[in-house]
Amino acid sequence: MLGCAALALLLAGCDPSQKTSGPDGTQPQATAPALPSNGAQQTPQVTAPQTAPQLTTAQQQQVQSLIRQVESAYGRGEADYRKGQLPEAKTEFDRAVDLMLSSGVNIKNSPELQDEFDRIVDAVNALEVEALKQGNGFVAKVEPSPADVATDVTFEVDPNIVAKAKAELATTKSDLPLVVNDYVAAYINFFANSQRGHNTLLHSFQRAGRYKAMIQRVMAEEGVPQDLIYLAVAESSFQPRAMNPHSGAGGMWQFMPHDPSYGLARTSYVDERFDPEKSTRAYARYMKFIYNQLGDWYLSMAGYNWGTGNVQRAVQKTGYADFWELYKRNNIPGETKNYVPEILAAIIIANHPEQYGFTEITLDPPVLTDTVTINYSVDLRLVSDLVDAPMDELMALNPSLLRMTTPPDTSFDLHLPAGMASVFQQRIAAVPESKRDMWRYHRVSADDTLASVARAYHVQVADLAAANQLRESDSLSGVDALVVPVAPAASPLARTVLYTARRGDTLVTIADRFGVALDQLRRWNQISGTGVKVAPGRRLHVAESAHVERTTTGRRHRGSEKSDAEAHEQGTSRGTPEKHAAPVAHKKSRGTTTKKERMQRSEPAASSKKSGAASAKNHHARKSAKR
């Protein structure tokens, strides 16, 4: 739950079901999973060890200042929690705990700080348990796409909507042949005049801002109409980690797994269906292939949803190579009947948003990244240390990663916050390549010593000194950063797949030890309920695929009619970085600052056609129940 290995040792005694109030004692609101009710504050009684040294006045002042910072971070997290912004709340809660763990102050030597630590951990733990009862804990729920909420559209046509839409077609600039009929008008009416339809389409338009420039560039490079971007409205609402639990289709464009025709790699480490740019290029090439088969963009949209072979057979059966004729004659399934009109409605509204009440659209800022191509395994926690970016941001920038570690012995495009490529390359050179999936990188603060850093990371002082070419007695004065030789056994996800629970373990401590979410651990091991107890000796999966967002739509969908293999290959030919020298502690340059200005970051970037009955059977097998 919390991204701190040290926290695991202190969570074992916490009861996550205990309803503990937040540190500031404020009364929660009901806009998120209900906060635990305020009752008598049940603060663990912490007694300072009898041998604990007395803190100096300066140390006491440091503790007081630290507690104020922790309270502030927790307060921001609780405010985000009330608003339902659970990932943001988790980031602030993690920051509150990390402030204490990375402060250099021995928590056990300060009863006041120990009390604050226990109180914060209990409060955060209780909030996550409450959130788990209503969803995935602090993992944001996937939003439904406009297509998901349009299942109850009634086809009562508003003549005013039809007249307005037809009038605006004369001034609409689109590279698709747009048409307005009763079917399209019904969806325009739904998205414009119902609160549910309006809100979901609005959120989809807003989210499109993250990827719109990239998608437009890729579509221009592949030679397909720009307005085909709006198929993502129906497929995923522009959510790159969207996943259909019924069919297994995934990503922004909802590709099926295990289909090489799209040219997207899928391994135990990476699923390129979730890579925004690679999946977009595969989508553009696939749409181009379908159009070359069918010769009509409306039929191509239908083919993307239902399968090209099925559309070809419907055309052969009726003699009409026209989507609307197939619609009227009931030669296409209901889901595909809805699919094309709802996309056309989205395109028409996107071209004239103010005319349909979408006056409040503020596009999300585009995802800006630096990309470094690597061919070694590196833990995202180390990357977080190196570029000083939160884990959540790095995971959002690299949605194709299924683990917290990049794949070994293969090329991977690691996306970093904008402006950080050179910083990453400079600092990663201090860590031996074979250790990059376990070691850490620590920025030295004024009060750090080799002993305090070793304690914080649970390593031996001698090992820490040796890794940085220092003596155990050396001061860290003038040292900017240290590499930390975390042992493989203690390294999160260090090639560990199964873990045998020990006495005293709970699901919370195991999840924290391996840097995974509590709901992931439960899901991978088919553990239901909200309890956290685990029997000693039980073997648990701790390093399977990371969380992917689930779509609620019942479809998916396409078969595997394939174009030429070259049309879907996604290989790259970039060079690989050179091997780096032995690690050494980073020295501060006289008269320079260790902080670097960074650019503003935003959120997180077919072989021959199958024919006949075999293709139809393949499509039918891949399609799930109708919405």
Side-chain angles (χ1 to χ4, degrees), residues 314-369:
V315 170
Q316 292 169 357
K317 178 180 178 180
T318 63
Y320 288 99
D322 181 272
F323 174 80
W324 304 113
E325 285 295 332
L326 299 180
Y327 188 115
K328 291 181 221 179
R329 296 168 183 271
N330 291 319
N331 287 111
I332 50 179
E335 179 188 327
T336 308
K337 282 184 175 181
N338 297 335
Y339 185 78
V340 173
E342 66 195 13
I343 293 170
L344 294 178
I347 294 172
I348 291 169
I349 293 174
N351 278 280
H352 301 277
E354 295 84 2
Q355 299 298 321
Y356 298 98
F358 288 82
T359 58
E360 69 277 38
I361 297 177
T362 302
L363 296 180
D364 287 351
V367 176
L368 302 176
T369 68

Side-chain angles (χ1 to χ4, degrees), residues 50-286:
Q50 295 181 356
T51 58
Q54 187 70 28
L55 296 180
T56 66
T57 301
Q59 288 173 327
Q60 290 174 349
Q61 291 175 346
Q62 182 185 2
V63 167
Q64 290 298 323
S65 175
L66 177 61
I67 289 176
R68 286 193 294 272
Q69 295 178 57
V70 170
E71 294 280 348
S72 177
Y74 180 90
R76 292 192 299 270
E78 192 177 46
D80 288 334
Y81 183 93
R82 290 197 191 101
K83 298 174 186 176
Q85 298 172 346
L86 300 186
E88 291 82 357
K90 178 184 182 299
T91 298
E92 293 296 342
F93 291 151
D94 285 351
R95 182 174 291 113
V97 176
D98 287 344
L99 280 168
M100 291 181 280
L101 291 175
S102 62
S103 66
V105 177
N106 191 328
I107 294 176
K108 294 182 179 180
N109 287 346
S110 171
E112 190 174 9
L113 190 57
Q114 178 73 68
D115 179 72
E116 178 76 1
F117 183 87
D118 291 339
R119 192 151 54 102
I120 290 291
V121 168
D122 285 347
V124 173
N125 201 23
L127 293 183
E128 178 150 25
V129 168
E130 290 300 316
L132 282 168
K133 292 178 181 177
Q134 300 188 33
N136 294 325
F138 289 137
V139 176
K141 294 181 181 179
V142 62
E143 288 191 29
S145 72
D148 295 332
V149 302
T151 54
D152 55 353
V153 172
T154 57
F155 287 89
E156 296 177 3
V157 179
D158 183 342
N160 294 326
I161 289 285
V162 175
K164 180 193 292 186
K166 286 184 175 180
E168 288 168 348
L169 281 186
T171 59
T172 298
K173 294 181 180 180
S174 175
D175 44 13
L176 286 175
L178 299 182
V179 65
V180 174
N181 53 30
D182 288 353
Y183 311 119
V184 175
Y187 280 98
I188 293 176
N189 185 56
F190 174 73
F191 292 137
N193 297 323
S194 74
Q195 183 176 1
R196 194 176 181 210
H198 178 93
N199 288 343
T200 53
L201 188 59
L202 171 64
H203 294 163
S204 187
F205 284 162
Q206 290 172 332
R207 195 179 294 112
R210 303 175 191 173
Y211 308 106
K212 189 172 184 179
M214 177 273 292
I215 295 173
Q216 289 175 332
R217 171 178 57 80
V218 170
M219 290 192 169
E221 291 170 354
E222 298 298 334
V224 296
Q226 291 283 310
D227 273 345
L228 287 179
I229 185 177
Y230 293 105
L231 262 74
V233 167
E235 295 293 342
S236 67
S237 196
F238 292 97
Q239 296 173 101
R241 294 292 299 250
M243 183 77 179
N244 185 293
H246 305 293
S247 68
M252 191 183 300
W253 306 103
Q254 291 291 282
F255 284 119
M256 295 297 295
H258 306 300
D259 193 329
S261 64
Y262 310 127
L264 298 172
R266 190 169 185 267
T267 70
S268 61
Y269 283 85
V270 172
D271 190 334
E272 289 183 346
R273 295 180 302 161
F274 301 140
D275 184 292
E277 181 161 350
K278 289 184 178 180
S279 66
T280 295
R281 194 168 299 279
Y283 159 71
R285 291 176 177 178
Y286 192 68

